[in-house]
C-alpha cells in the first residue's frame, strides 16, 4: 500500500491535469477578490470578503471529474493497473491508493483557491464579518465535499476502463449534480404567496395575494430539502451562498457518500475483468 501511494503521488509531479487544475483554482482565487475590489471602487458596491470565499465549492467538483477520469484512465491505457496486480498488489490496495491520491488532490484544489483568495482578499476587501464558527464549519463542509466527489469519480474511473468514456460520464455527472441542485434550490425558494394581477373594464390593474401552488410544505418540503442536502451539487450551492438550512447534516451526508462510493468501487473493481 505504501509503495502504491508513493507511486501515485510521484505521478502527480509530472501530471499536467493536476498542475493545470491548481493553476486554474489559484487564478480563480485571485480573480474573485480583485474583481470585488474593482467593483467597489468603480461602482460603489459594498462587498464582504466572505461573499466570494466559498464559491469554489461549485467548481471543485468539475475539476475533480476531469482529474480523476484522466489520471486513472491513463493507468488503464498504459496497462499500469494490470501490472500492479500482476506483481502482487491486491486489488483493494490498488483501488484505495488511487482513492487516497484523488482525495488529497481534491483537498489541494480547495487550498489552491483559498490561500490566494485570503492573501489578496484580506488587504483589498477586509476581514470576515460573519462568525468564525460559520467560516470554519462551511470550509470543513466543502473540504469533505471535495473528498466525497473525488470518491464518486474515482469509483467511476476505476470501474470504467475506457478513459474517454469515464471522462464523459464524470464530467456530465459533475454538471448533473449542479443542475439538480439548482432545480431543487428553485423549488425550495418558491414564495409562500404570489401576486395575481387582474384588469378591470375601465383599464385599472389590481393585484391580490394568493397562495402559491408551487410552495412546498410539510413532508414534501422535508423530502426535497433532504435530497438537496445529500446531492453534492446541492451542498455546493448552499455552501457557496452560505445558505445551508441543515449545516451540521451536510458533513454527515458527505461521509456517507465517501463510504458508499469507496465500498461499491472496491467490490466492483475486484469483480471486473482487467484487459
Amino acid at each position: 500500500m505504501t509503495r502504491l501511494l508513493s507511486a501515485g503521488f510521484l505521478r502527480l509531479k509530472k501530471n499536467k491535469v493536476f498542475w493545470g487544475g491548481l493553476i486554474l483554482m489559484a487564478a480563480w482565487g485571485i480573480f474573485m477578490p480583485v474583481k470585488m475590489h474593482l467593483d467597489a471602487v468603480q461602482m460603489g458596491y459594498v462587498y464582504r470578503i466572505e461573499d466570494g470565499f466559498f464559491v469554489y465549492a461549485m467548481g471543485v467538483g468539475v475539476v475533480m471529474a476531469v482529474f480523476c477520469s484522466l489520471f486513472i484512465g491513463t493507468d488503464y491505457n498504459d496497462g499500469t493497473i494490470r501490472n500492479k496486480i500482476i506483481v502482487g498488489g491486491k486489488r483493494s490496495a490498488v483501488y484505495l491508493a488511487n482513492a487516497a491520491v484523488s482525495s488529497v488532490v481534491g483537498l489541494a484544489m480547495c487550498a489552491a483557491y483559498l490561500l490566494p483568495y485570503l492573501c489578496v482578499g484580506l488587504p483589498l476587501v477586509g476581514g470576515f464579518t460573519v462568525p468564525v464558527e460559520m467560516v470554519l464549519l462551511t470550509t470543513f463542509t466543502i473540504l469533505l465535499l471535495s473528498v466525497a466527489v473525488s470518491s464518486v469519480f474515482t469509483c467511476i474511473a476505476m470501474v470504467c476502463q475506457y478513459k474517454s468514456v469515464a471522462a464523459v460520464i464524470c464530467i456530465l455527472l459533475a454538471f448533473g449534480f449542479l443542475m439538480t441542485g439548482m432545480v431543487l434550490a428553485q423549488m425550495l425558494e418558491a414564495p409562500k404567496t404570489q401576486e395575481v394581477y387582474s384588469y378591470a373594464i375601465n383599464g385599472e390593474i389590481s393585484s391580490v395575494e394568493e397562495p402559491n401552488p408551487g410552495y412546498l410544505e410539510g413532508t414534501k418540503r422535508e423530502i426535497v430539502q433532504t435530497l438537496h442536502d445529500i446531492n453534492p451539487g446541492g451542498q455546493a450551492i448552499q455552501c457557496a451562498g452560505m445558505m445551508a438550512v441543515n449545516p451540521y447534516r451536510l458533513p454527515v451526508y458527505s461521509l456517507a457518500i465517501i463510504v458508499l462510493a469507496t465500498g461499491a468501487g472496491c467490490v466492483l473493481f475486484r469483480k471486473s475483468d482487467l484487459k
Side-chain angles (χ1 to χ4, degrees):
M1 184 69 175
T2 304
R3 291 182 180 179
L4 292 171
L5 286 172
S6 299
F9 286 119
L10 282 174
R11 283 185 60 204
L12 292 179
K13 292 183 178 181
K14 297 182 179 180
N15 189 271
K16 294 180 180 179
V17 179
F18 170 68
W19 290 109
L22 286 181
I23 293 171
L24 177 65
M25 295 298 287
W28 191 12
I30 294 171
F31 170 78
M32 288 299 296
V34 170
K35 184 180 184 301
M36 289 192 294
H37 175 70
L38 292 177
D39 287 346
V41 172
Q42 296 173 1
M43 303 179 186
Y45 295 149
V46 178
Y47 285 105
R48 305 169 301 169
I49 191 171
E50 59 266 20
D51 290 338
F53 188 65
F54 302 111
V55 296
Y56 70 97
M58 299 179 66
V60 69
V62 178
V63 173
M64 290 310 300
V66 175
F67 172 80
C68 291
S69 58
L70 297 183
F71 183 78
I72 297 173
T74 301
D75 258 5
Y76 272 119
N77 281 3
D78 297 344
T80 308
I81 288 183
R82 185 181 58 186
N83 292 339
K84 289 176 182 177
I85 295 172
I86 291 174
V87 298
K90 293 183 178 179
R91 290 200 178 202
S92 58
V94 172
Y95 184 96
L96 292 175
N98 279 332
V101 171
S102 297
S103 297
V104 171
V105 170
L107 296 175
M109 295 298 171
C110 295
Y113 177 93
L114 291 174
L115 296 178
Y117 186 99
L118 289 174
C119 291
V120 177
L122 287 173
L124 291 180
V125 186
F128 290 96
T129 61
V130 295
V132 177
E133 293 80 5
M134 181 183 293
V135 175
L136 294 177
L137 176 60
T138 307
T139 302
F140 174 73
T141 301
I142 298 175
L143 292 176
L144 204 56
L145 175 62
S146 71
V147 177
V149 293
S150 298
S151 300
V152 172
F153 299 138
T154 297
C155 176
I156 295 171
M158 289 293 289
V159 172
C160 181
Q161 301 181 29
Y162 301 97
K163 182 167 69 173
S164 57
V165 176
V168 171
I169 294 174
C170 289
I171 293 170
L172 288 178
L173 186 59
F175 282 107
F177 284 150
L178 290 174
M179 294 300 295
T180 303
M182 291 177 185
V183 172
L184 295 176
Q186 257 188 339
M187 294 172 64
L188 292 167
E189 290 170 4
K192 196 169 186 177
T193 60
Q194 61 183 2
E195 283 193 52
V196 178
Y197 295 91
S198 60
Y199 295 88
I201 298 177
N202 58 6
E204 291 183 358
I205 302 175
S206 59
S207 62
V208 180
E209 286 278 339
E210 293 187 359
N212 181 8
Y215 177 76
L216 298 175
E217 54 186 343
T219 305
K220 288 184 179 179
R221 189 173 191 85
E222 290 179 7
I223 293 173
V224 173
Q225 183 64 59
T226 301
L227 293 174
H228 193 43
D229 292 343
I230 294 173
N231 173 30
Q235 288 195 33
I237 290 171
Q238 292 183 75
C239 290
M242 293 183 294
M243 300 180 298
V245 177
N246 305 306
Y248 294 101
R249 293 185 189 177
L250 303 187
V252 177
Y253 292 138
S254 289
L255 282 173
I257 292 172
I258 294 168
V259 172
L260 291 174
T262 303
C266 278
V267 172
L268 293 174
F269 181 64
R270 276 188 295 182
K271 294 180 179 181
S272 63
D273 180 18
L274 298 181
K275 298 180 181 178

